Amino acid sequence: MLRKFWQDETGLELSEYAVAAALVALAAVAAFQLLGTSIATKIETLAGFIK
């Protein structure tokens, strides 16, 4: 099943885009939760440089 999926070269359908977007969102949430305050501090530092 996975081999057939990887070899399929037809265009993506809306449902596949939705699944991909959900996976990206879950990965982002997981990264923020795992890295916690350290990433928040770095983002605040970068925001300070931008202002």
Side-chain angles (χ1 to χ4, degrees):
M1 184 173 120
L2 288 175
R3 175 180 268 166
K4 182 179 177 184
F5 174 76
W6 286 114
Q7 292 176 348
D8 184 16
E9 295 185 14
T10 59
L12 295 178
E13 294 182 16
L14 183 59
S15 60
E16 292 170 322
Y17 281 116
V19 169
L23 290 174
V24 169
L26 285 174
V29 168
F32 276 104
Q33 287 182 346
L34 289 173
L35 297 175
T37 57
S38 65
I39 197 167
T41 304
K42 292 193 184 297
I43 289 173
E44 289 175 12
T45 304
L46 289 172
F49 286 125
I50 293 172
K51 289 183 181 179

